[in-house]
Amino acid sequence: MKKAGLLVYLLLLLLVNIQAQSKIENVILITTDGLRWQEVFQGMDPVLANDRAFNQGDSADIYKAYWAADAVERRTKLMPFFWSIIAQNGQLYGNRAYGNKVNNSNPHWFSYPGYSEILTGYGDEKINSNDFPPNPHVTVLEFLHKQPAFKNKIAVFGAWDAFDRIVNEQRSGIPVISAFDPVGGSKPTATEQLINQMQKDVFKPWDLHECLDVFTHFAAMENLKVRKPKVMQISYGETDEWAHAGMYKNYLNAAHMVDKWIGDIWNYVQSDPHYKNKTAIIITTDHGRGDEVKEEWKHHGSKIVGADEIWIAVLAPGIPAKGEVKQPLQLYQQQVAQTVANFLGQTYTATHPIAPAVKEIWEK
């Protein structure tokens, strides 16, 4: 009798998990390049803010915007949407102060390998360059694009021009708007026409390889409003660019703006009946950065200690509102792809190995 009762309980638990997942019809995958877990969970670093080599001669402004003696208050100042809405209604993984760890599984710890791992569920050591050719692996986006329910309902917006290759736009047939690609196709809206004109005329700090995040964000938002994709990837890049430049103030401001934009996306999603209470948002990063030697916060790669340390945030209907997950745990970047598929009631398959989904998301 006890065994029968346990079986019923497990079946009910499985039913609850399936029902929670079945509410979700859309997924938005958001990345912000190279944003450290340290800032996400601890806020601004006073050592970096005080260092003349990094503070852009304006530590007073950094302190005014982001300082508090308490780390919880500091991180809330930096990322208010994360630490209000996501902390109350979603889940955040990666605070290593509690032994809650998220890592790259690829051995390289820089961008192309990281984004490929996110999208393929596989930390392939052979993908070892930012100049790597079009991705040989079928991403979860391409897998979904082949399913009738998602055909022509997937959109990718990335600030960096490498996303054409990472998603393998030519083979997959998924439209990728990267860097300074014109938006809106043959019938751009008035907003898209304005974005296209502004991109032609704007100052280009990284030449044609990467645009400012504001263009990626507003192009993605217009697409979301007008074309209603079921799956969207949005990838911001300025957090990485300003860090490489050693500009800590700009890096923090970029992180703060990404947090604001994620809030805008969520608020729009919850205001539109097409998406409301039917949309999951997954947020993560492609790699971490150095920490132990303060100069190394600018850098990443396999020689930089801590550059494989990342984080994941989730906001979705039907999942337990765990907030900041504090129990010891080890997750990997490669688990994101199957998690995206599972949210949509799919099981992602390909010829390469695929890591399992983050099962903890659905567990009480």
Side-chain angles (χ1 to χ4, degrees):
M1 190 66 181
K2 288 182 179 179
K3 289 183 178 180
L6 179 60
L7 180 61
V8 170
Y9 171 77
L10 292 173
L11 288 172
L12 286 173
L13 183 61
L14 177 62
L15 179 61
V16 167
N17 285 340
I18 291 172
Q19 287 175 336
Q21 294 178 59
S22 68
K23 292 179 182 178
I24 296 170
E25 300 176 7
N26 317 285
V27 171
I28 302 172
L29 173 63
I30 300 172
T31 62
T32 181
D33 200 304
L35 178 60
R36 302 192 308 171
W37 71 268
Q38 289 92 334
E39 277 79 21
V40 172
F41 290 98
Q42 299 170 359
M44 64 159 274
D45 184 335
V47 174
L48 295 179
N50 289 331
D51 194 323
R52 291 183 180 181
F54 307 130
N55 65 23
Q56 300 169 256
D58 200 356
S59 61
D61 192 57
I62 298 174
Y63 270 79
K64 181 179 178 180
Y66 303 121
W67 175 249
D70 179 67
V72 171
E73 188 178 348
R74 276 202 310 278
R75 70 189 188 186
T76 302
K77 283 189 170 186
L78 180 63
M79 305 185 77
F81 181 77
F82 262 56
W83 293 108
S84 57
I85 302 302
I86 300 179
Q88 291 175 13
N89 302 292
Q91 301 173 11
L92 295 112
Y93 298 90
N95 190 344
R96 305 178 86 85
Y98 297 106
N100 194 272
K101 300 177 182 180
V102 189
N103 289 78
N104 292 114
S105 60
N106 79 77
H108 305 300
W109 312 350
F110 57 87
S111 290
Y112 192 129
Y115 288 120
S116 180
E117 182 177 334
I118 289 169
L119 293 175
T120 65
Y122 176 38
D124 186 354
E125 66 179 15
K126 294 178 182 177
I127 295 179
N128 59 3
S129 169
N130 281 340
D131 296 320
F132 199 81
N135 202 327
H137 303 307
V138 171
T139 68
V140 66
L141 303 179
E142 186 174 350
F143 167 82
L144 291 169
H145 186 58
K146 293 177 180 179
Q147 314 308 312
F150 301 98
K151 185 73 174 178
N152 298 321
K153 295 180 180 178
I154 298 174
V156 177
F157 290 82
W160 186 33
D161 64 359
F163 282 105
D164 296 356
R165 289 177 284 120
I166 294 167
V167 176
N168 200 329
E169 181 177 20
Q170 185 172 5
R171 186 193 64 214
S172 70
I174 296 169
V176 178
I177 302 299
S178 68
F180 291 92
D181 288 346
V183 300
S186 60
K187 296 181 179 180
T189 66
T191 297
E192 288 168 334
Q193 291 177 44
L194 178 60
I195 290 170
N196 289 337
Q197 186 59 51
M198 292 175 71
Q199 287 209 118
K200 289 179 181 179
D201 296 345
V202 74
F203 170 63
K204 299 174 176 63
W206 306 293
D207 298 318
L208 294 177
H209 298 298
E210 187 166 337
C211 67
L212 295 168
D213 285 340
V214 66
F215 295 109
T216 297
H217 175 73
F218 278 93
M221 282 293 291
E222 183 71 359
N223 188 279
L224 198 64
K225 293 173 181 178
V226 174
R227 297 176 183 85
K228 309 294 186 190
K230 285 185 172 291
V231 181
M232 176 177 276
Q233 177 189 347
I234 308 172
S235 292
Y236 304 106
E238 287 188 48
T239 41
D240 189 61
E241 294 293 352
W242 297 127
H244 280 308
M247 296 181 176
Y248 194 60
K249 176 184 174 182
N250 287 6
Y251 166 81
L252 293 176
N253 287 342
H256 184 69
M257 186 55 70
V258 167
D259 175 84
K260 189 264 184 188
W261 285 333
I262 294 170
D264 290 347
I265 292 166
W266 179 249
N267 290 334
Y268 170 71
V269 161
Q270 290 303 94
S271 72
D272 185 336
H274 183 83
Y275 290 113
K276 185 177 181 180
N277 296 327
K278 294 182 285 187
T279 303
I281 296 180
I282 303 174
I283 312 153
T284 189
T285 188
D286 52 334
H287 54 72
R289 319 195 75 82
D291 181 48
E292 290 184 356
V293 179
K294 286 304 176 183
E295 173 70 19
E296 291 190 349
W297 81 276
K298 296 167 44 179
H299 307 299
H300 53 83
S302 59
K303 295 181 180 180
I304 303 297
V305 175
D308 63 328
E309 298 172 358
I310 61 170
W311 50 270
I312 297 172
V314 185
L315 189 57
I319 66 170
K322 298 180 181 179
E324 182 182 11
V325 181
K326 296 181 179 180
Q327 68 262 34
L329 182 67
Q330 178 66 68
L331 300 177
Y332 289 96
Q333 185 178 58
Q334 62 184 358
Q335 294 181 260
V336 171
Q338 193 66 270
T339 303
V340 169
N342 284 189
F343 266 134
L344 296 167
Q346 303 286 317
T347 300
Y348 168 37
T349 58
T351 57
H352 63 266
I354 298 172
V358 181
K359 63 181 177 58
E360 288 81 4
I361 289 173
W362 291 279
E363 292 177 348
K364 295 291 185 182

